[in-house]
Amino acid sequence: DTCTNNYATLNPLTIVAGASLTLSEGNLTFNGTSTDAGAKATFGVSSGKWYWEVKVKMSADGSSGSDRILVATENVRQITSATDPNSEGIWGIQSRSGSGATLNSYTNGTFSNGNSGSAGFNNTDIIGVALDVDNGKLYFSINGTFKDLSGNTGDPANATNPTFTGLPTDGTFLFPYVENRTSSGAPSAQVNFGGTPPFSISSGNSDANGYGNFEHSVPSGYYALNSKNLAEYG
């Protein structure tokens, strides 16, 4: 018997029928050519603390589309508008690229356009996601700096200034989820769960168990989404 350690990828079976979305590079890169095309991860979690990264791939001038970087419950299939009832059960951020971009958000289905104090992410930015399922908190970083929706610096390790609170803690499974907002320019993203990063890593950071290969530091107490960590903490 050979022990293995499998990392999460994006799951092609979660792409909604009719949505134009192509997965490549081991199902870690997505390219969307239709509005609201997205995919969830192969692993969902109902407990523990988890970390992954998403590299944004949009037009640098902000003229072509935007990305959504989300966490979703299993029943969420696709978001088609800011008021879509399918958005209930998602938490996350959305932004266009380019100068003056602001950070939009989804809080359990409630859309907020342009949060005060929160600059949006840009082309080639790396978004860190720290999900604390045990306490129902979610943190997002842009190029290594965690902030809440008011622009205050957050710290997942010390549970301060989460980007979102109120995520389910009742055993509901939560999944990493990425989605293309518009068809213009076919935005894409590269998701790094720590196994084989689809983008170049210049620093190299792992979790406390020595798993993962991330661009930015993994917050203390958070772990890469792989089968060995799931067996211990999931």
Side-chain angles (χ1 to χ4, degrees):
D1 188 21
T2 301
C3 294
T4 60
N5 190 18
N6 298 310
Y7 285 78
T9 66
L10 295 177
N11 186 351
L13 299 178
T14 62
I15 300 173
V16 173
S20 180
L21 181 71
T22 300
L23 300 182
S24 60
E25 297 186 78
N27 289 341
L28 293 172
T29 292
F30 86 87
N31 290 276
T33 56
S34 67
T35 303
D36 307 315
K40 294 178 187 173
T42 51
F43 291 174
V45 289
S46 59
S47 63
K49 299 179 181 181
W50 310 97
Y51 178 80
W52 64 95
E53 294 177 339
V54 181
K55 186 172 184 178
V56 177
K57 300 282 286 184
M58 301 185 292
S59 65
D61 62 1
S63 63
S64 297
S66 60
D67 282 339
R68 293 172 175 146
I69 301 172
L70 311 161
V71 168
T73 58
E74 190 169 8
N75 63 302
V76 172
R77 297 296 296 168
Q78 185 181 27
I79 310 166
T80 58
S81 72
T83 58
D84 189 342
N86 284 328
S87 64
E88 294 179 4
I90 68 147
W91 293 259
I93 56 177
Q94 171 187 319
S95 176
R96 278 188 175 273
S97 182
S99 176
T102 57
L103 196 66
N104 303 330
S105 64
Y106 288 85
T107 307
N108 195 21
T110 299
F111 177 76
S112 179
N113 187 8
N115 292 275
S116 176
S118 295
F121 49 79
N122 291 290
N123 185 49
T124 73
D125 282 348
I126 294 178
I127 312 302
V129 188
L131 172 61
D132 178 355
V133 186
D134 295 335
N135 297 292
K137 297 180 179 181
L138 178 62
Y139 304 79
F140 285 93
S141 66
I142 300 178
N143 298 324
T145 301
F146 286 95
K147 290 187 177 182
D148 64 15
L149 293 176
S150 297
N152 301 306
T153 301
D155 185 351
N158 291 316
T160 57
N161 295 332
T163 315
F164 299 95
T165 59
L167 280 72
T169 57
D170 60 356
T172 297
F173 278 86
L174 298 171
F175 294 78
Y177 184 34
V178 290
E179 190 172 80
N180 168 34
R181 173 64 187 93
T182 65
S183 58
S184 173
S188 64
Q190 296 175 297
V191 186
N192 178 20
F193 293 109
T196 304
F199 53 86
S200 177
I201 301 295
S202 62
S203 53
N205 294 280
S206 60
D207 64 24
N209 284 341
Y211 298 134
N213 182 17
F214 298 103
E215 180 62 30
H216 298 289
S217 297
V218 179
S220 178
Y222 288 74
Y223 296 92
L225 268 171
N226 61 41
S227 54
K228 288 189 176 180
N229 280 337
L230 282 172
E232 186 171 358
Y233 305 109

